[in-house]
Amino acid sequence: MVIWGEWRLDRSTDNLLSIHGLGVTYSQPNGERLRALDKISLELRTGEVLGILGESGCGKSTLANAILGLLPGHARTENGQIVFHDRDLLQLSEPDLRQIRGRTISMISQEPALSLNPVMTVGTQIAEVLRAHLPLTVSQSRQRVTDLLWEVGFDQPARICNVYPHQLSGGQRQRIVIAQAIACQPAVLIADEPTSKLDGPLRSEIMDLLSGLRQNHGTAILVISHDLTLMAELADRIAVMYAGRIVEIGTRREMFLRPLHPYTQALLQLAQSSLVTVPGAKHRFPQIEGESASGVAMQAGCRFEPRCPDRMSICVAHCPPEVAREPARSVSCFKYGE
């Protein structure tokens, strides 16, 4: 797997978005509460692409929705802070959050077909975002929509303005959703599985588009995915999630060349072994033994312990603390503690 050259960041820049000790639970029909996020702490820097890597159900999308205040009614933020421009987003009222959503923090949904209104033209839907946040005239808004469609790769933006979502392909609908998300030039863009529904060529085009947004506008991007290839090509730093917790954080190069946590190591081994196949031979897809931890029945100790090949007795009863290995590298595993 190719690791592309590092994009140079201004490390003196303060963190743009900081998450401290965030916890989120979901209520269950039996009255219990499922802990979806547990003590999540992250920092996103200006102009940085931070990848959130993990398997389905680990809490990645819950994290994205928590940042934007879009958690469902049965979810509850138990503790923590989400600080953006010196304001704790968890303490803001809904009207204040509406001023932030789409204006300074935007999200690209993983389901563009569900995000777009089927009875409105795509140009009108992009214009709605502009009208909600910017004091533009009708002609200015129309021109901005045309410019956005051109920026996301449409050769005939004036024609595309007047079509409906069902008249577009999946890749084209994804571009429309991206145009909506960047309409107001947000400081933070959350991309939730932005390429999961696309084939190879379209996937590459969307990754190039996201990379261009960072390069051209200095947009900080939080990329949420289970795709290691996407992380290898796009992310500056990667945070690995397992069962609602961050288990390892590091630069892209460090994470791919020298993973520390047993779960990160297992993910990379799966990715590498899946690429090595013998034509015509029966091939059993590799897997991590055991089942993913259930939020309802999570033990007090390390959540990866039942599946971990390096587990120790201490892992059963105690949650491993975060250990700083280097200035920009940390891991939560007793292998690296005292």
Side-chain angles (χ1 to χ4, degrees), residues 237-256:
R237 291 188 301 133
I238 300 172
V240 178
M241 284 190 70
Y242 183 79
R245 289 177 180 164
I246 300 293
V247 297
E248 184 173 358
I249 303 176
T251 67
R252 172 181 55 190
R253 180 175 296 277
E254 291 168 337
M255 298 292 276
F256 279 95

Side-chain angles (χ1 to χ4, degrees), residues 246-307:
I246 300 293
V247 297
E248 184 173 358
I249 303 176
T251 67
R252 172 181 55 190
R253 180 175 296 277
E254 291 168 337
M255 298 292 276
F256 279 95
L257 298 182
R258 193 166 53 88
L260 299 178
H261 197 279
Y263 177 61
T264 311
Q265 294 169 356
L267 288 178
L268 289 172
Q269 289 170 1
L270 292 182
Q272 292 167 357
S273 59
S274 65
L275 297 176
V276 181
T277 59
V278 178
K282 292 184 178 181
H283 178 70
R284 181 178 183 272
F285 285 103
Q287 62 181 359
I288 302 175
E289 297 299 329
E291 297 182 0
S292 297
S294 167
V296 176
M298 285 181 176
Q299 69 274 23
C302 175
R303 293 178 181 173
F304 189 60
E305 179 271 330
R307 309 173 73 185

Side-chain angles (χ1 to χ4, degrees), residues 3-292:
I3 309 297
W4 299 98
E6 298 290 341
W7 192 76
R8 299 301 176 186
L9 298 174
D10 180 4
R11 299 300 181 184
S12 65
T13 303
D14 291 337
N15 294 327
L16 181 62
L17 179 72
S18 299
I19 302 173
H20 306 288
L22 181 65
V24 174
T25 62
Y26 289 101
S27 62
Q28 302 298 295
N30 61 4
E32 296 185 43
R33 298 203 67 85
L34 181 152
R35 184 165 293 279
L37 298 180
D38 189 17
K39 300 177 182 178
I40 297 294
S41 294
L42 290 170
E43 290 81 34
L44 178 65
R45 305 171 183 134
T46 301
E48 177 186 40
V49 177
L50 174 63
I52 307 296
L53 176 67
E55 58 196 82
S56 298
C58 72
K60 304 186 303 294
S61 294
T62 295
L63 175 60
N65 289 326
I67 293 172
L68 286 169
L70 294 175
L71 291 171
H74 66 294
R76 185 172 70 200
T77 302
E78 299 280 331
N79 47 266
Q81 292 180 311
I82 303 175
V83 180
F84 177 67
H85 285 172
D86 299 323
R87 304 172 74 188
D88 184 359
L89 300 184
L90 298 179
Q91 303 302 318
L92 298 185
S93 65
E94 179 58 27
D96 287 337
L97 285 173
R98 281 199 295 266
Q99 294 300 311
I100 291 175
R101 295 189 202 115
R103 178 65 182 93
T104 52
I105 304 178
S106 289
M107 183 161 68
I108 302 171
S109 170
Q110 61 178 298
E111 294 287 353
L114 301 178
S115 302
L116 297 171
N117 190 327
V119 298
M120 294 175 62
T121 63
V122 296
T124 300
Q125 296 186 59
I126 297 172
E128 279 195 331
V129 179
L130 297 170
R131 187 164 53 248
H133 297 290
L134 301 178
L136 301 180
T137 65
V138 173
S139 61
Q140 288 173 329
S141 178
R142 187 180 301 115
Q143 183 59 51
R144 175 63 177 154
V145 170
T146 301
D147 293 343
L148 285 165
L149 290 173
W150 180 268
E151 183 175 357
V152 298
F154 287 102
D155 294 331
Q156 298 177 302
R159 181 184 68 83
I160 295 297
C161 277
N162 299 312
V163 305
Y164 293 88
H166 72 273
Q167 296 174 301
L168 300 173
S169 67
Q172 289 174 322
R173 286 194 292 266
Q174 185 71 294
R175 292 177 184 276
I176 297 299
V177 172
I178 292 175
Q180 283 184 307
I182 67 173
C184 299
Q185 296 185 339
V188 175
L189 181 63
I190 302 172
D192 188 1
E193 299 283 4
T195 62
S196 63
K197 307 294 182 181
L198 306 179
D199 58 24
L202 288 174
R203 179 181 171 281
S204 296
E205 291 178 10
I206 296 301
M207 285 196 297
D208 289 342
L209 177 56
L210 292 174
S211 180
L213 291 174
R214 187 266 292 276
Q215 295 282 359
N216 298 329
H217 302 294
T219 308
I221 305 177
L222 188 69
V223 178
I224 295 171
S225 182
H226 64 276
D227 187 346
L228 281 162
T229 305
L230 176 65
M231 296 295 174
E233 297 182 5
L234 196 60
D236 297 306
R237 291 188 301 133
I238 300 172
V240 178
M241 284 190 70
Y242 183 79
R245 289 177 180 164
I246 300 293
V247 297
E248 184 173 358
I249 303 176
T251 67
R252 172 181 55 190
R253 180 175 296 277
E254 291 168 337
M255 298 292 276
F256 279 95
L257 298 182
R258 193 166 53 88
L260 299 178
H261 197 279
Y263 177 61
T264 311
Q265 294 169 356
L267 288 178
L268 289 172
Q269 289 170 1
L270 292 182
Q272 292 167 357
S273 59
S274 65
L275 297 176
V276 181
T277 59
V278 178
K282 292 184 178 181
H283 178 70
R284 181 178 183 272
F285 285 103
Q287 62 181 359
I288 302 175
E289 297 299 329
E291 297 182 0
S292 297

